[in-house]
Amino acid sequence: MEPQEAAKSNPDGIIVNPTRDEGRDTSVGDEGDEANDLRFDEEERLIKEQSLRPETD
């Protein structure tokens, strides 16, 4: 059997493309999920802000 054929007949489920960007999870979540999203957004903003600062060394 060819490797491609084996992948198509995988009894465990579908093949997932890990490099595909699906964006933010918009499924219904709880307050913890919302807090994590806020923290992550804030961390990204701070990292970007720090990367734009000139070096002072």
Side-chain angles (χ1 to χ4, degrees):
M1 182 182 300
E2 293 293 319
Q4 293 85 2
E5 291 176 24
K8 290 179 185 175
S9 64
N10 184 354
D12 296 330
I14 61 171
I15 297 173
V16 177
N17 184 354
T19 60
R20 181 174 174 218
D21 183 19
E22 296 180 0
R24 176 170 282 177
D25 182 9
T26 58
S27 62
V28 176
D30 60 10
E31 290 178 4
D33 290 337
E34 292 174 17
N36 284 338
D37 289 342
L38 288 172
R39 277 193 293 273
F40 183 74
D41 289 343
E42 178 69 10
E43 288 176 11
E44 281 188 324
R45 187 187 64 76
L46 290 171
I47 290 169
K48 184 176 181 180
E49 180 182 303
Q50 290 174 359
S51 71
L52 296 174
R53 290 183 187 164
E55 292 188 30
T56 57
D57 290 343

